[in-house]
Amino acid sequence: MSGDWKDGLRDQLEDLVDSLVVKGAKQSDVYDAIVDEIGSLQKAYDRDPDPAEDRPGVEAEEPSNEWPGALP
C-alpha cells in the first residue's frame, strides 16, 4: 500500500479542523481533542480489536433452517 492514503488522511483532518474553527473552536483546542480521541480509540482497540463481533443479536442473524424448503 502506498502513502497516498496518508495524504488523504491529512486532507480530511485539515478539513475537519477548518470546519470546527469556522464554527468558533480554537485550533489548538481542536488539535488537543483529536489527540485525546485518538488515544481513546487506541485504548478501545487494545481492549477489543473487533467490536463488531460483540454486537448483541449477532446469533439471531444466522440463517434459519426452518423455512419450508429446508424441511424434509
Side-chain angles (χ1 to χ4, degrees):
M1 180 177 268
S2 67
D4 292 340
W5 67 269
K6 289 182 181 180
D7 294 335
L9 174 64
R10 182 184 178 108
D11 292 341
Q12 289 181 3
L13 284 172
E14 287 176 352
D15 290 344
L16 173 64
V17 172
D18 288 345
S19 69
L20 295 172
V21 169
V22 166
K23 292 179 181 179
K26 285 179 48 180
Q27 190 176 28
S28 60
D29 291 342
V30 174
Y31 289 144
D32 291 341
I34 290 171
V35 170
D36 290 344
E37 286 300 319
I38 295 297
S40 295
L41 288 171
Q42 287 175 322
K43 288 177 187 174
Y45 179 81
D46 290 343
R47 283 191 309 272
D48 190 358
D50 193 359
E53 292 178 347
D54 300 339
R55 288 190 341 250
V58 169
E59 295 79 18
E61 292 178 6
E62 293 180 15
S64 171
N65 284 335
E66 297 177 5
W67 53 283
L71 299 175

